[in-house]
Amino acid sequence: MTKIVPQPGIMDIALYVGGQSHVEGVADVVKLSSNENPYGCSDVAKSVYSKSGLDLHRYPSTDHASLRAAIGDVHGLDPDRIICGAGSDEVLQFIAQAYAGKGDEVIYTEHGFSMYPILAKMVGAKPVVVPERERVVDVDAILAACTRRTKIVFIANPGNPTGTMIGGNEVARLADGLPKGAILVHDGAYTEYVEGHDGGAALVESRDNVIMTRTFSKIYGLGGLRIGWGYGPKEIIDVLNRVRQPFNLSTVQLSVAEAAVKDQDFVAKCRADNAKWRAWLAEALMEHGVPSDTSTANFILARFSDRAEAEACDDFLKAQGVIVRRVTGYGLPNCLRITVGDEASCRRVAHIVGQFKGDTA
Ligand SMILES: *Cc1c(COP(=O)(O)O)cnc(C)c1O
């Protein structure tokens, strides 16, 4: 009998490990491990969701026209160049599927988002990891790693789990320096947390090799519903639509996302609260001897003296019901990624880290 074997690369993929959500024996748990919005989603989105279950026998829209029009309207973008997916992860997958394969190289950075190597391997391409400079994307290092086999460069900006950003001029320099035929993917999962930031939209408008991705999972508080989108050159979006399944988003996903994107007051309020408590938490941790880079997202990458201390602090937090994220898999064993929660959660984290460091009773 012939052995049934998957395509090359597939078995090199380590199964994704999500943020933990329970602690054995602890009732009052706060989950700060998946960068979820502590305030949930907008009330408008909730009300659309609760009314949405009536026509379940009908297939959803296949072109997502209404949602794309709403996104285009809110962000001043051409709806014909928007593609929607089941989370931005699905849009990232379309890009990998359509543009990389055997013999191709896919570049991402040292502490880059864990989906990038998974996607490269999924399509049989070679993942190429490039160093960062002190937890910041290094454009020169990426350009130096490019070859004529480079097809995709993934950067998250703001980065996850680093929380750091590079400026628009640096991103433009990266796009302009790529080999012909390579695409820059500007992953803007945390764009809304950066006041006034366009997520790379202007760069997409002025280049033919840049695509940006965005999500409803973070500031919109809709991670459970799985909606994301991408914006790129017409030719690329046209290609991606060919690998997209016609009914990849349900009626519920479409209608809730549309309501959510129209409620920009909610987004602005969450951005302001996040900025306030992120600054407070970073300073409180610093006072307990735990530094972090200035974060531009909704989490802080807390740095401990070594791996042992980071793990001991993680255990200490967990025992008291606070779940944060270990990031050893991202090459950051001495760090913990802590989502910025609401005021009570931030105070709780700071207090427990203080206890751990022996600073507070
Ligand atoms: C959370 C996240 C995503 C995508 O999440 P989806 O839920 O699939 O939209 C993409 N990139 C980065 C860097 C993220 O942190």
Side-chain angles (χ1 to χ4, degrees):
M1 221 175 84
T2 43
K3 196 161 176 263
I4 297 174
V5 291
Q7 290 291 311
I10 306 279
M11 294 311 289
D12 299 336
I13 300 173
L15 289 174
Y16 186 85
V17 182
Q20 194 183 338
S21 55
H22 305 283
V23 181
E24 200 72 48
V26 184
D28 179 21
V29 165
V30 51
K31 185 184 176 214
L32 303 173
S33 56
S34 298
N35 301 340
E36 293 152 342
N37 186 336
Y39 312 106
C41 69
S42 116
D43 286 338
V44 191
K46 273 182 217 160
S47 113
V48 168
Y49 177 82
S50 60
K51 287 185 208 126
S52 66
L54 297 175
D55 282 318
L56 295 181
H57 59 302
R58 301 277 180 220
Y59 268 94
S61 143
T62 174
D63 63 8
H64 311 152
S66 186
L67 174 57
R68 288 187 296 105
I71 293 171
D73 193 43
V74 166
H75 295 291
L77 304 175
D78 176 0
D80 287 340
R81 294 165 55 191
I82 295 172
I83 183 166
C84 303
S88 50
D89 281 355
E90 194 186 32
V91 179
L92 297 171
Q93 181 175 332
F94 296 154
I95 300 168
Q97 259 181 287
Y99 288 100
K102 201 166 161 339
D104 296 331
E105 294 174 357
V106 172
I107 293 181
Y108 60 98
T109 63
E110 193 180 359
H111 310 301
F113 185 45
S114 59
M115 278 307 292
Y116 308 149
I118 292 179
L119 292 170
K121 292 170 190 168
M122 188 188 287
V123 299
K126 181 176 164 200
V128 175
V129 58
V130 167
E132 296 186 1
R133 200 175 357 91
E134 292 286 305
R135 300 169 300 281
V136 179
V137 165
D138 183 346
V139 168
D140 292 310
I142 296 177
L143 292 177
C146 284
T147 72
R148 58 193 167 71
R149 289 180 298 277
T150 304
K151 288 294 158 59
I152 301 172
V153 173
F154 285 115
I155 65 164
N157 198 35
N160 172 19
T162 59
T164 62
M165 261 191 108
I166 60 170
N169 291 341
E170 279 292 275
V171 184
R173 192 162 74 80
L174 175 57
D176 294 342
L178 292 189
K180 265 199 172 39
I183 298 175
L184 173 63
V185 180
H186 189 269
D187 178 341
Y190 302 95
T191 295
E192 293 82 0
Y193 287 106
V194 186
E195 179 79 53
H197 188 50
D198 72 354
L203 208 70
V204 172
E205 301 289 9
S206 59
R207 304 285 189 289
D208 60 9
N209 66 342
V210 183
I211 178 164
M212 73 175 196
T213 57
R214 305 281 291 269
T215 184
F216 284 91
S217 302
K218 303 288 161 55
I219 209 165
Y220 287 97
L222 292 168
L225 213 53
R226 315 301 305 129
I227 319 133
W229 54 281
Y231 187 63
K234 188 84 189 71
E235 303 72 47
I236 294 183
I237 296 302
D238 177 65
V239 169
L240 301 185
N241 268 315
R242 290 160 201 268
V243 297
R244 178 177 71 79
Q245 292 195 27
F247 304 110
N248 64 322
L249 291 182
S250 69
T251 41
V252 182
Q253 286 166 299
L254 291 166
S255 56
V256 175
E258 185 177 336
V261 78
K262 288 176 177 167
D263 189 359
Q264 287 297 310
D265 289 348
F266 174 80
V267 172
K269 171 149 198 335
C270 293
R271 172 169 48 240
D273 284 350
N274 177 73
K276 176 176 174 189
W277 291 105
R278 179 179 65 199
W280 184 90
L281 181 61
E283 192 175 317
L285 294 179
M286 188 64 204
E287 278 168 16
H288 295 308
V290 180
S292 54
D293 299 313
T294 301
S295 171
T296 56
N298 67 336
F299 53 85
I300 283 172
L301 185 67
R303 291 203 306 278
F304 294 83
S305 46
D306 53 27
R307 177 177 185 157
E309 192 191 34
E311 291 184 353
C313 188
D314 181 43
D315 290 340
F316 193 77
L317 282 159
K318 199 164 290 171
Q320 302 190 50
V322 176
I323 304 174
V324 301
R325 188 70 167 256
R326 288 192 188 189
V327 282
T328 304
Y330 284 96
L332 295 160
N334 63 322
C335 297
L336 296 175
R337 191 192 68 191
I338 306 171
T339 303
V340 176
D342 58 9
E343 173 175 357
S345 304
C346 288
R347 290 190 184 279
R348 195 164 152 192
V349 168
H351 181 74
I352 298 171
V353 171
Q355 280 181 319
F356 172 78
K357 286 286 202 170
D359 294 341
T360 46

